[in-house]
Amino acid sequence: MNGPEIHVEFAPELALFVQRRPHRTLVTDGVSSLGHAVESAGVPLTEVGTLRVDGREVPASYVPAAGDRVHVGTVERLQRVPGAPLRFLLDVHLGTLARRLRLLGVDTAYESTDIGDPALAALSAAEKRVMLSRDRGLLRRRELWSGAYVYSTSPEDQLRDVLERFRPELRPWTRCTACNGLLKEATKEEVADQLRGGTQRSYDVFAQCRNCGRAYWKGAHHEQLVAIVERALAEFAS
């Protein structure tokens, strides 16, 4: 680009995306939007809040002029996502986060195979789901209905970040962690074909997914799951 120079200050929370350089001079092409310039600097617009030029708020479609002094704010928390019930779509790298969100009863679609960025973006738009990903290129796709960057590689921190940012309604133990379907109470006879001898003798309370048929009971890992649920409810239950 060989056009007007603008001076940009990024909010500290965006330092990850701008290589720890919060102040930057950008050369624009004179016709592209401020949103395009911000993304070209490495910041997905999903993470951008208020844009200000010389102190006044402007939309991402604003075309910068030479000498503009721009401040790029971070997205608000609590983040509202109008237009559809709050639900999520996660890419192939976030399987543990998907299972934990489902454990908490949050409507969470997840692709366990890599179907590609175009297909994920199209699915986000078709089902009006917030795309959660650590792939900045995916979050820059125009087809996305909505999206958010997942900042941590730790499942515990990922879950806390999503719950703090969006505050979804929590309804633990109501969704299948395998397929996201809703659970129903089930008798031992209804799920007998999924039970081994020890389980069949030791447990009497079961649930079953209405979608895939998977059976659930309070098995060996139940205490770990209870701990995840109790921490989330204690911090984020409305």
Side-chain angles (χ1 to χ4, degrees), residues 28-223:
T28 67
D29 62 8
V31 294
S32 296
S33 69
L34 180 56
H36 175 77
V38 169
E39 285 197 320
S40 297
V43 183
L45 287 184
T46 60
E47 306 313 296
V48 172
T50 302
L51 293 168
R52 296 187 182 276
V53 173
D54 298 326
R56 72 184 190 281
E57 186 173 343
V58 298
S61 59
Y62 170 83
V63 177
D68 277 352
R69 305 194 71 84
V70 178
H71 181 269
V72 182
T74 189
V75 69
E76 289 186 1
R77 298 182 177 224
L78 167 69
Q79 182 178 350
R80 301 291 184 184
V81 184
L86 180 60
R87 48 191 182 179
F88 299 100
L89 169 63
L90 279 63
D91 68 18
V92 66
H93 304 291
L94 297 176
T96 300
L97 176 60
R99 289 188 290 273
R100 292 188 179 195
L101 285 169
R102 290 170 175 175
L103 174 66
L104 294 172
V106 179
D107 189 340
T108 305
Y110 164 68
E111 293 296 333
S112 60
T113 58
D114 188 356
I115 64 174
D117 289 0
L120 283 170
L123 185 57
S124 166
E127 298 188 1
K128 293 187 176 180
R129 291 181 178 273
V130 179
M131 183 78 239
L132 300 182
S133 178
R134 288 179 51 78
D135 182 343
R136 302 180 199 181
L138 170 57
L139 294 176
R140 290 178 62 177
R141 297 194 70 90
R142 294 291 178 259
E143 314 94 287
L144 277 182
W145 181 70
S146 181
Y149 184 77
V150 176
Y151 286 80
S152 177
T153 58
S154 159
E156 291 79 9
D157 292 339
Q158 289 174 348
L159 180 63
R160 185 178 300 107
D161 183 41
V162 172
L163 297 183
E164 188 269 337
R165 178 167 176 169
F166 293 100
R167 291 292 180 122
E169 181 184 2
L170 304 184
R171 299 181 62 203
W173 318 110
T174 61
R175 286 191 179 273
C176 175
T177 57
C179 81
N180 196 44
L182 294 173
L183 301 182
K184 65 178 182 69
E185 293 182 1
T187 65
K188 183 180 292 189
E189 290 72 25
E190 288 175 313
V191 298
D193 60 333
Q194 299 182 53
L195 307 180
R196 297 179 180 178
T199 301
Q200 193 165 36
R201 290 191 299 272
S202 304
Y203 299 95
D204 295 303
V205 178
F206 299 91
Q208 187 174 30
C209 177
R210 296 177 185 273
N211 183 42
C212 73
R214 178 171 175 169
Y216 289 87
W217 59 91
K218 296 180 180 180
H221 301 293
H222 185 67
E223 289 186 4

